Amino acid sequence: EESLQMWDLNKRLEAYLARVKFLEEENEVLRAEIQSAKGSPAGDSWRVKYEEELRALRDALDHAFREKCTAELARDNLYEEVQQVKSRCQKEQAAREEAKKQLSLSRKELEEERRAQIWLKERAVQLEKEVEALLEVHEEEKAGLHQEIASFSQSLESFRCAPVAFQPVEVEDYSKRLSEIWKGAVETYKTEVSQLEGSLCQAKESLWKAVEDNQQSQLQLQHLEKDLAGLKARKEMLEESLAQQWQEQRGEAEKFQLAMEALEQEQQSLRVQIARVLEDRQQLMHLKMSLSLEVATYRTLLEAESTRLQMPAG
């Protein structure tokens, strides 16, 4: 039994020694490869290539971030421009509403002036008719006065021929009264004629003023219509430019969105590649640590077996 145990131990020791020898040889080969990789330009080129790839990936990431920032700034600027165009459209719409209100007010004023003109024309016709009637009355009164004067002169002739029935004093009084009446009638006629002429002049002045106001209102209406047509044309141009700018901004926004999505995908792929590279490096480090631990374990086992085998001999 002891010989069998010793034989088993010898087999195990041989296996340990063979395994340790194989691992030491493999370790030496790996050490030589590592040293050659460190000393050879291929290792340096691999490291330089790896660093260049990392640097390129970092530059691409920074460039993508800068492009994203510029795209966001362009989007904000476009939004501000759209808001400014909307405010301009609102202002122009308010100005157009104000122009419509002014146009309606001017039309109302024009209608009122037309009505006033018609009334003034009717009033002028009435005044002319009244003047004609007054002139006819004046002519009638004048003819009546002439007839009275003629009858008075005939009565004076009869008074001269007839015996003295009236005294000269009464005749003079009668003539004085008659002259006073005639003067009063003439004065009233003159005042009435002057009043009628003044009212006619005032009516003519008011008529001319109404005509001038009508012409001015028509000119103002034409100017307002021209302004309204200009505002309509400007509104149409602004709406067309706004629609065109909106389409252009929409296309640019879609392009920026596609570019941002492409950059995000590229960034995601770069992150995946960086994660893979780091994972491979970590696996290499773990493999190196496991190999070093296994070598140390075999060494300790070998030393323990050698000490255990040397103890009976001692």
Side-chain angles (χ1 to χ4, degrees):
E1 291 177 358
E2 288 179 357
S3 64
L4 288 173
Q5 290 178 0
M6 290 296 293
W7 184 75
D8 190 11
L9 289 172
N10 288 326
K11 291 291 184 181
R12 288 174 65 188
L13 181 60
E14 287 177 0
Y16 279 125
L17 291 173
R19 181 65 176 170
V20 168
K21 188 176 180 181
F22 176 74
L23 289 173
E24 285 181 350
E25 289 177 356
E26 193 175 5
N27 194 10
E28 290 294 331
V29 172
L30 289 172
R31 188 179 290 113
E33 288 180 356
I34 290 168
Q35 292 295 329
S36 64
K38 287 181 178 179
S40 65
D44 295 334
S45 65
W46 179 79
R47 184 178 293 174
V48 169
K49 186 177 180 181
Y50 177 69
E51 290 178 355
E52 287 179 354
E53 287 180 357
L54 286 175
R55 193 180 297 108
L57 291 172
R58 287 173 183 172
D59 293 335
L61 187 62
D62 293 334
H63 184 66
F65 183 73
R66 286 195 295 271
E67 287 183 352
K68 184 179 178 182
C69 292
T70 53
E72 289 178 354
L73 289 172
R75 184 187 63 189
D76 294 334
N77 292 326
L78 290 173
Y79 181 75
E80 289 178 357
E81 289 179 359
V82 169
Q83 293 295 326
Q84 289 178 0
V85 172
K86 285 182 179 179
S87 64
R88 287 178 183 174
C89 288
Q90 289 176 359
K91 289 180 180 178
E92 288 180 356
Q93 189 174 3
R96 186 179 63 184
E97 294 293 332
E98 187 68 24
K100 285 182 178 179
K101 289 180 180 178
Q102 290 180 359
L103 183 61
S104 63
L105 291 173
S106 62
R107 283 178 180 174
K108 289 180 181 179
E109 291 178 357
L110 182 61
E111 291 293 331
E112 291 178 356
E113 288 176 359
R114 285 177 181 174
R115 291 174 183 174
Q117 186 178 2
I118 292 167
W119 181 80
L120 288 171
K121 287 180 180 179
E122 292 176 354
R123 183 64 177 167
V125 172
Q126 290 178 1
L127 290 171
E128 287 177 357
K129 289 180 180 180
E130 289 178 359
V131 168
E132 289 177 357
L134 290 171
L135 289 172
E136 290 177 358
V137 171
H138 175 66
E139 291 293 332
E140 291 176 356
E141 289 179 353
K142 188 176 180 182
L145 288 172
H146 283 296
Q147 289 177 1
E148 288 179 358
I149 290 167
S151 63
F152 181 71
S153 62
Q154 289 176 3
S155 63
L156 285 176
E157 290 290 334
S158 64
F159 286 153
R160 287 177 183 175
C161 295
V164 178
F166 295 99
Q167 295 180 359
V169 178
E170 292 178 357
V171 173
E172 289 178 358
D173 292 334
Y174 182 74
S175 63
K176 286 180 180 179
R177 288 179 183 177
L178 187 61
S179 63
E180 288 177 358
I181 292 167
W182 173 255
K183 288 179 181 178
V186 171
E187 291 293 331
T188 54
Y189 174 73
K190 287 181 179 179
T191 53
E192 288 178 357
V193 169
S194 63
Q195 288 177 1
L196 287 172
E197 288 178 353
S199 61
L200 184 61
C201 292
Q202 289 179 0
K204 286 181 179 179
E205 287 179 357
S206 60
L207 182 62
W208 282 109
K209 188 176 181 181
V211 170
E212 289 178 356
D213 292 335
N214 190 9
Q215 290 177 358
Q216 289 179 0
S217 62
Q218 286 180 358
L219 291 172
Q220 189 175 4
L221 181 61
Q222 290 176 1
H223 287 301
L224 289 172
E225 287 178 352
K226 288 181 182 179
D227 294 334
L228 182 61
L231 288 171
K232 286 182 179 178
R234 189 177 179 185
K235 181 190 174 186
E236 291 176 357
M237 290 175 63
L238 287 172
E239 286 178 354
E240 290 177 358
S241 63
L242 179 63
Q244 188 176 2
Q245 288 180 1
W246 180 256
Q247 290 179 359
E248 291 177 356
Q249 290 171 3
R250 189 174 181 181
E252 290 178 358
E254 289 178 356
K255 289 180 182 179
F256 282 127
Q257 187 69 27
L258 292 173
M260 288 173 66
E261 289 177 357
L263 289 171
E264 287 179 355
Q265 290 178 0
E266 187 176 359
Q267 185 179 3
Q268 190 69 25
S269 63
L270 290 173
R271 286 179 180 175
V272 171
Q273 290 178 4
I274 290 169
R276 286 178 183 175
V277 171
L278 293 173
E279 188 177 359
D280 294 335
R281 186 176 179 183
Q282 192 173 5
Q283 287 179 0
L284 288 172
M285 292 294 291
H286 284 298
L287 182 61
K288 185 177 179 181
M289 290 174 67
S290 63
L291 287 173
S292 62
L293 288 172
E294 191 174 357
V295 169
T297 305
Y298 282 125
R299 282 180 180 175
T300 53
L301 289 172
L302 184 61
E303 288 177 357
E305 287 294 331
S306 64
T307 52
R308 191 173 65 80
L309 290 173
Q310 287 176 4
M311 285 177 67

